[in-house]
Amino acid sequence: MRWIFGDGGVWCSRRILRIGWSRRDADSVAFYRSGSVAAAILLLLGLAATVHARTPPNVILVMTDDQGYGDLSCHGNPILKTPHLDQLYRDSVRFTDFHVSSFCTPTRAALMTGRYPGRTGAYRTSSGRTMMHADEKTIADVFAAHGYATGMVGKWHLGDNAPHRPQDRGFQDVLWHRCGGVGQASDYWGNDYFDDTYERNGKFEKFTGYCTDVWFAEALRFIETHQDRPFFLYLATNAPHGPYRVDAKWSDPYRDQATWRSAAEFYGMIANLDHNMGTLRNRLDALGLAENTILIFMTDNGTSNGAAFPGLDTEASQGFNAGMRGKKSSIYEGGHRVPFFIHWPAAKVTGGRDVTSIAAHIDVLPTLAELCEISIPESHQPDGVSWARKLQDPDAPAPRDHLIVQYQGGPHFRTVPKPWYYACVLKDRWRLLDGHKLYDLGTDPAQQNDVSDAHPDVVAALRALYPPFWESVSPRMVPVSIDLGTSAENPVVLCSQDWYMPTGNPPWNFGQIKKLVRVTGPWMVHVRKAGRYRLTLRQWPALADRPLVAVRAKVQIAGNERQAAVKPGSKQVVFELDLPAGKTELRTWLFDAKGNAGGAYFTEVESL
């Protein structure tokens, strides 16, 4: 703390924050009193002591990717060792019936907004449905509006282009990889988890080391940079999402016990995560920040490879899934029930206590807002509820009555969204799937027996909860556009993963792109200003430096259509068009010598 004396008064700098004064009261406090300096100092010390409880807490939200409820030794996994996460489990309040969506993007949209994924527009993992409507407010918007430094590190998966990138959605300090996984189609060409290039605040930067180690190192950089003011940090790792790659020192200890495909690597990725969590907590202690930091650990969906499964909706045949049926992308319990630990020593949100009521990803924003005494805009009210009172008073009633989880379109996206398709209504011990299958987790935690015939009254009661949800959410399940012609991003590099397909998924990884799959679809775009635009069509990213396998190219946008021959050896085809302002669709075709057409998987649009 810094003190300045003069003219019968005393000034205490904003560093008084570190001993308890709230930033919402003032950035700095000046007291001018007649009389002695000593009296003023005593007054300030007394004031600092009385307002200690009002110090805004820091928030660190850690979410891993594809790690299920059973992928922790504290949850009973007999093979995997996670000593640091086990310690956080012991130190935390644990939500034992916490639910997310069954796949990456919808969970992230719900977490960022506190709203059902369908309402946000980001309810799939590709096919142009990974981006939130521009009017959605994020948790970063809310915290930034109340003076918090906001940071995001790792996996975003809510849009690669403006206005959908993390730096467009309230995060001030960002380091991230594009698309849904490191090395996928829209990510920086050549990334493979080791010594990769990531995007920092709009510019690419080369890093040395393993991806998870880089994310945690950058998280610590953010924490140390902002340790003198309240901060909100979203640390979202891509691990242990596939491809399953990690240094052998982490995977080798599991080689003999985890024998299904890539199991040792999957467990090794989690072991590495666990090590980094220990480093993070130790550093918070060393900086004196652990006491007044809300630390959350959670995951984004059920396990992808913590066990071997004969089918998507089955129980595990090898490995451990905490006795649940289903894995990632399943609407059964194993697809969407995940760990959730929250630790805040200053408010006595600490260990040895379980919250057993149903809670969800949409509850995180309202809960944190109440714990941190910040408001959410009236224009953006969450679907979730706040658990703040229950966290601080075990005897308080649970705020949630029921929950609806819906995986819009099904795991293979065979149809457009429709009511009840891959939906689950959760209430107490009951699970109603697809509107007609009923399971009683109290007697059947593995969901083996449909008891709907024995409990028609329960089925009717749970069915009645669904129509208001669908009527409220479904009108927002419409296309979300990418901006063209703005200073935020010019040129814009579009990737085929964002084609808005009526059914199925577009090419979203290089395994598909290598096959030159003969399919194309539209990008939903918003031309923000009328003018001249250059469109460059490619089959590979510009950095790949590969020639087109095509003889003719075609482009359509905003009523314009152009065609051009492809010269042998060309790596791109360029068109220049005058475009009017407004929302439209952009479609591309690359024809081979037989007349077969696929789209230009990578298309660059530049406002001239």
Side-chain angles (χ1 to χ4, degrees):
M1 188 184 304
R2 182 165 55 92
W3 302 89
I4 300 174
F5 303 91
D7 297 331
V10 60
W11 171 273
C12 171
S13 84
R14 62 184 295 176
R15 287 183 179 271
I16 199 170
L17 290 170
R18 296 298 298 279
I19 64 167
W21 182 257
S22 169
R23 290 190 73 249
R24 286 175 300 223
D25 296 316
D27 280 343
S28 55
V29 183
F31 285 89
Y32 293 95
R33 295 284 189 272
S34 59
S36 71
V37 168
I41 293 174
L42 290 173
L43 177 64
L44 279 169
L45 290 173
L47 177 62
T50 60
V51 301
H52 179 77
R54 297 178 60 198
T55 306
N58 306 307
V59 180
I60 301 175
L61 173 54
V62 180
M63 184 166 73
T64 64
D65 193 3
D66 285 3
Q67 181 180 4
Y69 189 90
D71 297 330
L72 292 161
S73 50
C74 55
H75 281 173
N77 193 303
I79 301 174
L80 180 62
K81 305 301 180 187
T82 52
H84 299 292
L85 287 168
D86 294 354
Q87 185 61 53
L88 181 60
Y89 169 89
R90 290 189 290 270
D91 293 342
S92 300
V93 173
R94 295 89 54 138
F95 282 75
T96 61
D97 202 0
F98 189 89
H99 297 264
V100 293
S101 301
S102 298
F103 246 128
C104 310
T105 288
T107 289
R108 292 159 204 276
L111 189 64
M112 288 295 99
T113 63
R115 286 148 71 90
Y116 284 116
R119 190 186 307 284
T120 72
Y123 57 89
R124 295 287 307 178
T125 57
S126 69
S127 200
R129 293 153 173 92
T130 64
M131 297 166 284
M132 299 182 292
H133 293 294
D135 62 355
E136 291 288 333
K137 297 297 182 184
T138 70
I139 194 169
D141 290 322
V142 171
F143 274 86
H146 289 80
Y148 274 71
T150 55
M152 183 267 164
V153 176
K155 175 172 173 174
W156 178 240
H157 207 183
L158 290 169
D160 295 336
N161 302 107
H164 308 293
R165 304 164 302 175
Q167 60 263 40
D168 304 319
R169 309 304 301 235
F171 288 101
Q172 302 152 352
D173 188 332
V174 174
L175 181 73
W176 62 301
H177 70 82
R178 293 188 173 187
C179 61
V182 170
Q184 288 182 10
S186 65
D187 193 26
Y188 191 88
W189 171 254
N191 279 358
D192 64 358
Y193 288 39
F194 297 91
D195 301 333
D196 290 339
T197 297
Y198 305 121
E199 184 177 336
R200 186 195 296 280
N201 302 325
K203 295 182 179 180
F204 286 108
E205 183 176 331
K206 178 75 172 177
F207 288 85
T208 300
Y210 182 60
C211 54
T212 304
D213 298 335
V214 171
W215 304 139
F216 275 87
E218 284 296 310
L220 290 175
R221 176 199 58 79
F222 174 85
I223 290 166
E224 292 173 3
T225 299
H226 299 287
Q227 61 182 296
D228 287 328
R229 61 178 289 195
F231 60 78
F232 173 85
L233 172 63
Y234 175 44
L235 170 54
T237 69
N238 62 293
H241 191 288
Y244 306 119
R245 296 170 180 161
V246 72
D247 191 284
K249 72 178 181 181
W250 300 107
S251 56
D252 281 351
Y254 301 104
R255 192 74 58 195
D256 294 335
Q257 291 180 280
T259 56
W260 57 98
R261 184 177 179 181
S262 301
E265 286 73 22
F266 181 81
Y267 278 1
M269 294 169 83
I270 295 174
N272 172 265
L273 275 163
D274 181 79
H275 168 79
N276 276 290
M277 281 295 295
T279 301
L280 173 66
R281 295 195 70 194
N282 288 338
R283 189 60 183 148
L284 289 173
D285 281 332
L287 293 170
L289 298 175
E291 181 74 10
N292 199 35
T293 293
I294 300 173
L295 177 60
I296 292 172
F297 172 80
M298 62 179 292
T299 73
D300 68 340
N301 47 243
T303 190
S304 64
N305 201 39
F309 295 84
L312 179 67
D313 296 327
T314 67
E315 291 183 78
S317 59
Q318 289 179 270
F320 180 77
N321 197 36
M324 295 184 292
R325 177 179 176 179
K327 57 183 291 189
K328 173 183 177 177
S329 79
S330 172
I331 202 63
Y332 285 87
E333 201 78 354
H336 49 84
R337 181 180 166 210
V338 300
F340 188 92
F341 310 153
I342 180 168
H343 179 246
W344 183 18
K348 295 183 171 54
V349 179
T350 51
R353 179 156 62 92
D354 291 334
V355 176
T356 58
S357 304
I358 293 172
H361 47 13
I362 55 176
D363 300 335
V364 174
L365 171 54
T367 299
L368 288 175
E370 184 171 351
L371 289 175
C372 298
E373 299 179 16
I374 63 178
S375 60
I376 300 172
E378 285 296 324
S379 60
H380 184 83
Q381 286 306 297
D383 294 309
V385 296
S386 172
W387 290 82
R389 184 180 174 195
K390 184 72 172 175
L391 282 168
Q392 297 176 311
D393 178 6
D395 297 324
R400 173 173 291 289
D401 175 71
H402 70 281
L403 176 69
I404 295 171
V405 173
Q406 183 160 14
Y407 182 16
Q408 309 290 353
H412 304 295
F413 198 30
R414 292 173 176 159
T415 181
V416 295
K418 62 182 181 181
W420 286 113
Y421 194 67
Y422 278 84
C424 179
V425 180
L426 301 80
K427 183 175 172 64
D428 303 323
R429 69 181 194 269
W430 302 104
R431 302 292 186 266
L432 180 68
L433 274 65
D434 298 333
H436 61 88
K437 294 179 289 187
L438 183 68
Y439 298 93
D440 181 356
L441 295 191
T443 59
D444 179 25
Q447 295 174 280
Q448 294 178 328
N449 304 303
D450 178 359
V451 295
S452 55
D453 289 345
H455 299 280
D457 54 334
V458 176
V459 172
L462 295 183
R463 281 189 64 88
L465 298 173
Y466 183 84
F469 157 82
W470 181 254
E471 291 166 10
S472 174
V473 168
S474 57
R476 298 272 288 179
M477 297 174 66
V478 294
V480 177
S481 298
I482 296 168
D483 282 353
L484 304 178
T486 72
S487 59
E489 186 184 22
N490 190 45
V492 174
V493 180
L494 303 171
C495 176
S496 57
Q497 69 165 5
D498 290 324
W499 287 344
Y500 199 87
M501 309 295 284
T503 186
N505 284 316
W508 57 271
N509 62 51
F510 286 111
Q512 296 168 331
I513 289 172
K514 285 178 182 178
K515 299 175 183 177
L516 297 180
V517 291
R518 298 306 179 180
V519 64
T520 190
W523 284 289
M524 301 299 179
V525 296
H526 191 167
V527 180
R528 287 292 181 174
K529 66 176 182 180
R532 190 77 170 171
Y533 286 79
R534 178 183 294 129
L535 284 72
T536 304
L537 281 58
R538 300 186 178 93
Q539 286 171 327
W540 293 86
L543 286 173
D545 197 32
R546 294 191 181 186
L548 292 171
V549 181
V551 298
R552 184 165 55 93
K554 184 171 76 170
V555 62
Q556 287 181 350
I557 182 173
N560 292 277
E561 180 175 307
R562 295 284 193 279
Q563 297 194 45
V566 177
K567 296 178 181 179
S570 296
K571 297 168 185 174
Q572 66 274 324
V573 179
V574 178
F575 298 92
E576 288 193 10
L577 300 169
D578 292 315
L579 301 180
K583 291 186 177 181
T584 186
E585 298 181 9
L586 168 60
R587 291 177 182 264
T588 60
W589 290 264
L590 292 170
F591 298 88
D592 66 15
K594 295 180 180 180
N596 299 315
Y601 310 121
F602 300 90
T603 295
E604 181 179 296
V605 184
E606 182 177 8
S607 173
L608 300 177

